[in-house]
Amino acid sequence: MTAVTDENPGQGGTGEQLSDPSSTGPSRSGAAPSGPSRSGTGWDDGLIARRAQAARKEAGQTPDEAPEEEEDDGRPQVEAYVDSGSPLRPRLDALRELVGLSRARLDRAALAEAGRVLDEAAARQRLSSRHTVVAIAGASGSGKSALFNALAGAPLSETGLRRPTTSSPLACSWTDGAAGLLDRLAVPGRLRRRPAPGAAADEALQGLVLVDLPDHDSAAKGHRDQVDRVLALVDAVIWVVDPEKYADAALHERYLRPLAGHAEVTFVVLNQIDRLPGEAADQVLDDLRRLLDEDGMALGEHGEPGATVLPLSALTGEGVGELRELLGRFVQDRTAATRRLSADVDAAAARLRPVYVAEGRPGLGERAREEFTDRLAEAVGAAAAGQAAEREWRRNAGRACGTPWLRLWRWYETTRQPGSRDRVPLAAPPEERLTARQRVEQAVRTVADDAAAGLPGPWAQAVREAAVHGAKGLPDALDELAGRVSGEPDAGAPATGGAALPGGAVEGRVGRAAGKPPRPAWWPAAVLAQVAMTLLQIFGGLWLAGQIIGVLEPGLLTPALVMLGGIVGGPLVEWSCAVAARGPARRYGQEAERRLREAAAACGRARVLDPVAAELMRYREVRERYVTVTEFSTTGR
C-alpha cells in the first residue's frame, strides 16, 4: 500500500525517518518536543526519555544498554494470522473468485469495494500477527488524547484547550515488530512512541499498537480525511464520547451506523463521567446504549455481537483500569484482525447483495420452454403443415381407391387448366412472412423475460442480450428449415435451422413431397376390389349390349344386376376406403407436424435457449460463490 504523506504543515517525511530535535519544527508551548531523535544508541523524546534515563540510572543500567526503538529494517513481518481452519480464508477465496467471474457482467464501481477489501486483506496478512492495531477516535474536546496518555502511562499526546490539538495520527507500540503496520497506516517515524516503563511492563498489553487520531469533526478537511483513511486500516477502534457530544449526529450517521457490522471490534467509552453528578452518569450511559442500539451496534438479546460500552474518566483514572483489562484480553486473543477483515467482507457482501441475490427462483422451467416451442411451432406453421399433409394423404388415397370414371373426370379438369399438374406453389406473401418473423421475435422476447424474471439487473440484462444475440437470423433459419423438413418428410433427423412458411406455401410443399405416402396393408385389396367393381360394370354393359344387338339371347335382368352391382360397388368401395384412410392420414399429418415442431424446437434451443441457459448457469455459479462469502460470517450479520 502506498503511504499517505502527513498533511500537517511543517511536518514532512514518512516511514521510520528519525530526525534531531532541531528538525521537528517549533515546539508547542508547555509541551515536550514532538519527535524523537537519535543520540548514539539511545533515543530522546523529551520527558519520557528523561524519566527512562532516571530509571536506568537507579537500576545501574547504562544508556548503551537501553532498548532501542524499533526500526523498519526491511525484515519480513510475521505472516498468516489467518490459520488454515479459519472461516475467513474460504470467504476471501470465494470473494476473489466472485470478483473474477463478475468482471464481464458488472461495472468496476460495483466491484470496487470488494476489490479494496481483498487488497487490504492481502496487505494485512503479510504483516505481523502478534500485534493488534487499535485506534482512538472521537470529536474535538472528547478527551481521546487524554485517554491515549492514560493507557500509555505518560503524556505522549499533547492535550489542551486549543483546537484541534491532534493534527496527525500518533502511535504507541508496546512491543517491537510493528513497523510494517505503522508504515501501512502512514504514521511517520517521528510520531511513533513507546509507553512509559511501567505501562510497557503490562503483560496483557504486549502486542498492542495504539493510535491517537485527529478529531473526526475537525474544521480541517485533511484531518477528517486522515481519520477516514486510518479507520479503514486498523484492527479495532475505541470511540471516545463525552456527555455533551455523545448524541452527535455526525458521529452516529457517518461512522457508527455504517460500521455497525464492525461492532465486535468496537469500543465506545463515555469519558468525563467525573463531570456528571449523582445518577446522571447512569442516565447518560443508558441513553448512549439506546442510540447504539438504534445504530445496530448494541449487544443483542440473544448474544449477537455488539460493541463494548463502558464509562470512565481519563482525567481521574476512574474506569481506565477496566478498559486496560478489556484491551488486554482483546489483544491477547489475537483475533481482532481476523474479525475486522471478516466484518469488511460482510460489508462488501452487503453492498453486492442487490447484484447477486434474486427474488424467487429465476430460471427456465419446463413450462417456459414448452411455451417457447409452441410459439416457434406456430410461427413456422407446424400445425398447418400437419393439416396439409393429412389432406394430401387422403387425396392420394382417393386417387388410388376411387372409381375410374371419377379419376377420368379429375384428369379432365386438370387438363382444362394448363400447367396445373406441375404448378409450383407460390411463395408466402410478404405480409405473411413479416407476421411469422414478428411471431419469432415475440417468442424470443417472451422467453428472455421469463428467464430474466427475478434476476438482479446486470444478470437479467445479460440473459436478454444472450437471447437477442442468438435470435439474429432465427426467422430466416426457421424458414429454410421448414422448407427442408416439409420437402423431405421421410428424412431421418431434422437439421437445426428454422422457419416461417404460411398456409399455401406449406401445403404446396407438402403436396409435392407427399406424392407417394406410405400405404396401409389393406390398400392393395381396396384397389383390387375397385378394379373388380369396374370389371363388373364393363362385363354387365357388354352383356347388355350383346343382347340388344342380338348377339346374345335376351335376358336383361341378369346383366343389369351385374352392371348395377359394379356401379354401386365402386362408390361403396371408395367411400369405405375414405373412412379407413382417416386414421392413417391423421397419423401421417401428426408425424409431419411433429417433425417440423421438433426441428423448430431444436433450432430455437441451439440459438436461444442454450445461450440463455449458459448465462443462468454463470449466474448460479457466482451466486454459489456469494453464498460462500456470506454463510461463514463471524459477525452474525
Side-chain angles (χ1 to χ4, degrees), residues 129-490:
S129 64
R130 297 180 290 109
H131 291 81
T132 300
V133 183
V134 180
I136 298 183
S140 59
S142 61
K144 54 185 176 55
S145 295
L147 179 61
F148 179 86
N149 294 336
L151 293 173
L156 303 182
S157 181
E158 182 183 0
T159 61
L161 298 177
R162 184 172 60 88
R163 300 285 180 260
T165 304
T166 305
S167 59
S168 297
L170 179 69
C172 179
S173 176
W174 266 251
T175 52
D176 297 337
L181 292 169
L182 295 177
D183 288 342
R184 180 170 176 250
L185 299 180
V187 178
R190 56 187 172 76
L191 296 179
R192 302 181 186 184
R193 303 286 186 268
R194 300 298 288 273
D202 191 344
E203 291 294 335
L205 297 181
Q206 298 302 304
L208 173 63
V209 179
L210 201 61
V211 181
D212 185 18
L213 296 181
D215 303 332
H216 71 77
D217 60 350
S218 174
K221 183 179 183 300
H223 295 179
R224 299 195 303 270
D225 293 341
Q226 289 190 64
V227 172
D228 295 342
R229 175 182 60 79
V230 175
L231 286 180
L233 302 177
V234 297
D235 301 329
V237 59
I238 300 175
W239 286 100
V240 182
V241 298
D242 60 72
E244 295 178 354
K245 295 184 179 180
Y246 73 92
D248 186 14
L251 170 65
H252 291 271
E253 295 178 5
R254 185 177 180 185
Y255 294 104
L256 296 182
R257 195 166 301 162
L259 295 176
H262 297 71
E264 273 192 307
V265 291
T266 301
F267 296 80
V268 180
V269 298
L270 176 62
N271 193 18
Q272 303 175 10
I273 60 171
D274 55 300
R275 297 169 50 193
L276 299 175
E279 298 179 354
D282 293 335
Q283 295 175 357
V284 173
L285 195 63
D286 290 341
D287 194 44
L288 174 60
R289 288 195 174 97
R290 178 187 61 81
L291 294 175
L292 292 176
D293 185 45
E294 295 177 357
D295 294 334
M297 299 195 72
L299 185 66
E301 296 179 358
H302 305 286
E304 295 89 347
T308 301
V309 184
L310 71 159
L312 56 79
S313 173
L315 182 62
T316 65
E318 181 183 357
V320 175
E322 182 182 357
L323 176 61
R324 182 180 286 108
E325 183 180 351
L326 291 174
L327 275 178
R329 291 198 299 266
F330 185 77
V331 170
Q332 295 308 313
D333 191 35
R334 293 189 180 181
T335 60
T338 301
R339 287 187 280 177
R340 167 61 196 256
L341 291 179
S342 182
D344 288 343
V345 173
D346 288 342
R351 291 190 179 186
L352 291 175
R353 181 179 178 82
V355 298
Y356 288 118
V357 178
E359 300 176 0
R361 298 178 61 86
L364 277 178
E366 289 299 322
R367 181 175 180 180
R369 292 176 180 271
E370 291 177 359
E371 291 178 354
F372 178 65
T373 301
D374 292 342
R375 292 187 179 95
L376 289 186
E378 181 182 0
V380 84
Q387 295 171 1
E390 179 181 355
R391 289 192 296 267
E392 188 63 23
W393 201 97
R394 296 175 66 176
R395 280 196 294 268
N396 290 338
R399 284 194 293 268
C401 302
T403 61
W405 323 118
L406 182 60
R407 295 169 64 184
L408 286 174
W409 172 256
R410 290 172 179 168
W411 174 81
Y412 173 73
E413 288 292 330
T414 57
T415 57
R416 295 180 58 184
Q417 300 177 1
S420 60
R421 297 182 62 182
D422 299 324
R423 183 172 65 239
V424 178
L426 299 176
E431 58 274 11
E432 293 184 359
R433 300 181 70 86
L434 180 60
T435 301
R437 180 179 296 272
Q438 291 173 345
R439 289 176 179 174
V440 172
E441 294 174 352
Q442 178 63 28
V444 172
R445 285 195 298 269
T446 302
V447 74
D449 291 340
D450 291 342
L455 283 175
W459 302 101
Q461 181 65 23
V463 167
R464 292 189 179 93
E465 289 177 355
V468 172
H469 179 75
K472 291 181 179 178
L474 179 60
D476 296 334
L478 287 172
D479 189 26
E480 178 184 354
L481 176 64
R484 185 161 61 250
V485 174
S486 298
E488 300 174 3
D490 295 330

Side-chain angles (χ1 to χ4, degrees), residues 17 52 58 78 89 97 118 130 143 158 180 272 313 365 380 388 393 419 498 504 519 537:
Q17 295 177 344
E58 293 179 1
V78 180
R89 185 176 296 278
E97 294 177 6
L118 290 173
R130 297 180 290 109
E158 182 183 0
Q272 303 175 10
S313 173
V380 84
W393 201 97
R519 298 183 177 185
Q537 295 178 42

Side-chain angles (χ1 to χ4, degrees), residues 49-74:
R50 291 193 293 274
R51 290 181 178 177
Q53 290 174 359
R56 286 196 298 271
K57 289 179 180 179
E58 293 179 1
Q61 186 182 34
T62 63
D64 293 340
E65 296 174 347
E68 297 183 7
E69 184 185 17
E70 61 172 320
E71 289 185 352
D72 187 5
D73 56 4

